[in-house]
Amino acid sequence: MKQQDITSGRVQKAPENFLSKDGIKTVFAEARGGRRDFIRSAFAAAAAGAAAPLAMAQGNPVPPEGGDPFILELPEHAKGLGLGVATDGYGKPSKFESNVQRRQSPGLTQTTQASVSFAPLQSLFGIVTPSGLHFERHHQGWWDIDPSKHRFMVNGMVKAAKVFTMDEIMRLPSVSRFHFIECGANTAAEWGNVAVPTVQYTHGMISCSEFTGVPLITLLELAGADLKNGKFVLAEGGEGSSMTRTIPMSLILSGEVIVAYGQNGEMLRPENGYPLRLVVPGVQGVSWVKYLRRVELGDKPYATKDEAIHYIDLQPDGMHRQYTNLQECKSVVTTPSGGQVLLDKGFYNITGLAWSGKGKIRKVDVSVDGGRNWRPARLETPVMSKALSRFNIDWVWDGKPALIQSRATDDTGFVQPTYKQLRAVRGTRSIYHNNAIQSWLVQENGEIKNVQLS
Ligand SMILES: Nc1nc2c(c(=O)[nH]1)N[C@H]1C(S)=C(S)[C@@H](COP(=O)(O)O)O[C@H]1N2
Ligand SMILES: [Mo]
């Protein structure tokens, strides 16, 4: 049976019971008043709580009436002996976090061997995607390749073709850098209309890691590459998908393109290309060739299948745009977001992610009234080039319907467009490269829905 691909853009309605079944519903702690009140009452509660176990330890087991037993009574873990060190040697998340998972989108036909999994953005903090939650996109399945048998070849316009073992690559000077990777098809289904209910499925084909490896320029130089006449590099993956992409030399000469073996302090995960993948900062995911086995230096673009017929954008005039390289400036509020529920009026931290394939995020504005008024969010530091940036902003919900949006601006001055602005330029028949402003509707009952404003 042919696997349904994200690229078809066909969508299904999410099953009615989808949210609760999926364990996505997030419930917020009750909090009243503004930020200062909120913080003050939080401190007061903590101070009251701190005294209690001491009092109990001194032989006063009677909790004051109405007190919270979870702070007043000594729990099992305060009395017994905890576990010894984990014997399997590799730590796992708490069992109470088992709903934080990569998932198949309900907007795509469900298959037994799925080819896309989405990262649970609604559950993540900061900018680093834990490696086990990194989104996945496999054109021909994934493999766990024996690194001792993996080879990397540089050929084409070079003095002599050169083959590297992993050991040879890993003794070369390395760099470590934080970058996002976004599939060109991220947010694809939303071109038509609202397609999926949660941020995991609207935006979950993005992840951010610290990658470690050798700049591709170093490996080209070692092979005696003709850097004057070589204009493009063909990158080729080692598994059966014939994943080949053209990378312009301009990106490689800057030293930004990395032949990476490391991800978040350890070797790449097999799903993400172990033992070697290309890191092409700012460029759509498809160019980040996994299981990288060869680069060829040439003097013109290669027009491979994945750039001639895939990852192209049908323009309003009927022409196709090919070789879309940079992922343009984009952002999304990850909490509160679709599928979550606000339990009560009062203070909430609105948080989200912003990124640009062209460089750093300069600012993120947030609106809670569908774009009529905007306030600048706080950007967490450091703000890094072609990496995710985390933003936060205070909000006091008055219990009335609210439309939450974020709008990012990058350091080139590019401002993330509305759907109206994007469609005015790109038309409506695109699949890839949707960077429009996302809207979340907070309803009076606290439930949050994915909506599009026309
Ligand atoms: N060899 C190989 N490289 C590949 C792919 C693939 O299927 N095979 N998929 C590409 C696509 S379309 C994307 S979006 C990213 C996904 O990387 P990830 O699975 O690590 O998230 O890898 C790219 N590199
Ligand atoms: Mo992709």
Side-chain angles (χ1 to χ4, degrees):
M1 207 182 74
K2 201 175 167 288
Q3 227 166 257
Q4 176 72 36
D5 193 80
I6 178 89
T7 56
S8 77
R10 239 180 50 206
V11 292
Q12 297 177 332
K13 202 165 164 281
E16 288 316 340
N17 61 351
F18 165 70
L19 289 173
S20 43
K21 202 182 85 201
D22 235 19
I24 278 224
K25 257 189 191 172
T26 300
V27 164
F28 290 88
E30 186 176 4
R32 288 170 207 282
R35 187 173 194 221
R36 244 173 264 129
D37 284 348
F38 171 67
I39 291 169
R40 204 180 294 134
S41 56
F43 273 123
L54 258 186
M56 282 191 294
Q58 286 157 14
N60 175 15
V62 191
E65 207 163 333
D68 183 342
F70 290 109
I71 191 72
L72 293 172
E73 286 163 18
L74 277 183
E76 213 42 51
H77 58 253
K79 299 183 226 163
L81 176 62
L83 299 169
V85 293
T87 46
D88 64 3
Y90 200 104
K92 291 186 192 66
S94 160
K95 63 175 185 256
F96 300 106
E97 300 299 318
S98 62
N99 70 328
V100 181
Q101 288 182 10
R102 310 191 263 217
R103 290 190 175 87
Q104 269 195 82
S105 171
L108 298 167
T109 303
Q110 307 299 292
T111 53
T112 41
Q113 193 184 329
S115 64
V116 194
S117 73
F118 292 72
L121 302 184
Q122 70 281 359
S123 306
L124 303 183
F125 316 117
I127 60 165
V128 172
T129 312
S131 298
L133 296 173
H134 193 291
F135 84 94
E136 299 161 87
R137 176 70 180 99
H138 313 303
H139 290 241
Q140 188 80 5
W142 62 271
W143 299 86
D144 197 357
I145 294 171
D146 180 346
S148 72
K149 295 182 183 142
H150 189 72
R151 296 292 181 273
F152 172 66
M153 177 161 92
V154 181
N155 71 342
M157 297 168 67
V158 298
K159 273 211 186 77
K162 194 165 167 60
V163 175
F164 296 87
T165 63
M166 285 302 298
D167 287 338
E168 284 164 351
I169 289 174
M170 292 179 73
R171 58 192 282 192
L172 293 173
S174 70
V175 294
S176 295
R177 293 183 192 136
F178 289 86
H179 289 299
F180 75 80
I181 166 175
E182 182 182 25
C183 176
N186 200 19
T187 325
E190 304 281 306
W191 271 109
N193 209 324
V194 167
V196 284
T198 71
V199 71
Q200 179 158 17
Y201 305 122
T202 56
H203 289 76
M205 279 201 283
I206 188 158
S207 295
C208 184
S209 303
E210 186 191 33
F211 292 98
T212 296
V214 179
L216 177 54
I217 187 70
T218 305
L219 297 159
L220 285 169
E221 278 167 351
L222 285 172
D226 179 354
L227 297 180
K228 231 179 91 203
N229 299 307
K231 294 280 176 274
F232 297 93
V233 150
L234 176 82
E236 180 183 79
E239 97 290 29
S241 67
S242 314
M243 178 53 66
T244 43
R245 290 287 303 188
T246 301
I247 317 289
M249 268 309 273
S250 52
L251 293 175
I252 296 163
L253 288 170
S254 73
E256 274 185 73
V257 177
I258 307 168
V259 173
Y261 44 80
Q263 176 181 352
N264 297 331
E266 58 184 357
M267 289 296 286
L268 289 161
R269 293 290 170 91
E271 307 94 291
N272 305 121
Y274 179 89
L276 216 53
R277 98 171 298 169
L278 201 60
V279 166
V280 195
V283 175
Q284 61 179 335
V286 65
S287 291
W288 296 46
V289 173
K290 301 190 277 191
Y291 319 111
L292 183 70
R293 71 185 291 264
R294 188 172 72 94
V295 301
E296 178 183 312
L297 182 59
D299 55 9
K300 45 185 172 306
Y302 284 81
T304 69
K305 72 166 166 53
D306 284 295
E307 39 211 21
I309 57 167
H310 299 148
Y311 301 92
I312 54 177
D313 303 307
L314 184 54
Q315 305 293 297
D317 64 2
M319 299 289 278
H320 273 118
R321 184 176 76 177
Q322 293 178 322
Y323 297 105
T324 302
N325 263 322
L326 296 181
Q327 293 294 99
E328 275 181 315
C329 185
K330 184 167 170 181
S331 71
V332 67
V333 169
T334 53
T335 292
S337 63
Q340 296 182 324
V341 183
L342 303 185
L343 276 192
D344 198 2
K345 296 187 242 194
F347 181 89
Y348 291 96
N349 180 50
I350 296 179
T351 189
L353 295 165
W355 60 97
S356 167
K358 290 183 185 156
K360 289 184 185 178
I361 290 298
R362 179 185 291 166
K363 66 168 181 162
V364 178
D365 297 308
V366 170
S367 174
V368 293
D369 59 7
R372 263 177 231 110
N373 297 285
W374 296 92
R375 282 188 299 146
R378 303 189 307 276
L379 282 185
E380 296 305 318
T381 53
V383 174
M384 291 180 279
S385 182
K386 304 174 188 179
L388 291 184
S389 282
R390 170 66 63 175
F391 62 87
N392 290 294
I393 186 168
D394 300 347
W395 180 47
V396 179
W397 184 43
D398 59 9
K400 302 203 182 84
L403 269 170
I404 301 184
Q405 302 177 318
S406 64
R407 180 184 66 192
T409 305
D410 70 16
D411 62 3
T412 69
F414 182 100
V415 182
Q416 186 183 2
T418 61
Y419 268 101
K420 206 171 166 188
Q421 290 166 331
L422 185 69
R423 289 189 178 117
V425 177
R426 298 272 308 279
T428 54
R429 292 184 292 167
S430 272
I431 293 167
Y432 304 101
H433 312 118
N434 175 355
N435 66 327
I437 291 172
Q438 169 70 38
S439 307
W440 304 118
L441 172 65
V442 181
Q443 303 169 108
E444 253 164 313
N445 65 2
E447 290 181 12
I448 303 171
K449 268 174 66 176
N450 178 7
V451 294
Q452 265 184 35
L453 306 186
S454 51

